[in-house]
Amino acid sequence: MPPPTERPSVLFVCVHNAGRSQLAAAFLTHLAGDRVQVRSAGSAPADTVNPAVVEALAEVGIDISAVSTGRPWSL
């Protein structure tokens, strides 16, 4: 368990970082606020987040329209 002053960190990963990982990251961010550091990544990121994901989240009051898919991680 992390020390009380340190926030837990969660990484959601899917291939394109455009659908599932964005959904998961958006919901956790919405629910946990700044109590958890939330990140998403993909091994072959798409250029944009799937519009269906943006629309589905907007339907429940979560706006990710400004989110980008980012760059793949290099190890």
Side-chain angles (χ1 to χ4, degrees), residues 25-62:
F27 275 118
L28 182 56
T29 299
H30 179 75
L31 295 170
D34 62 358
R35 293 174 296 174
V36 176
Q37 180 183 38
V38 181
R39 297 176 187 212
S40 66
S43 56
D47 292 329
T48 60
V49 175
N50 184 326
V53 170
V54 176
E55 183 179 340
L57 288 168
E59 289 176 6
V60 295
I62 301 173

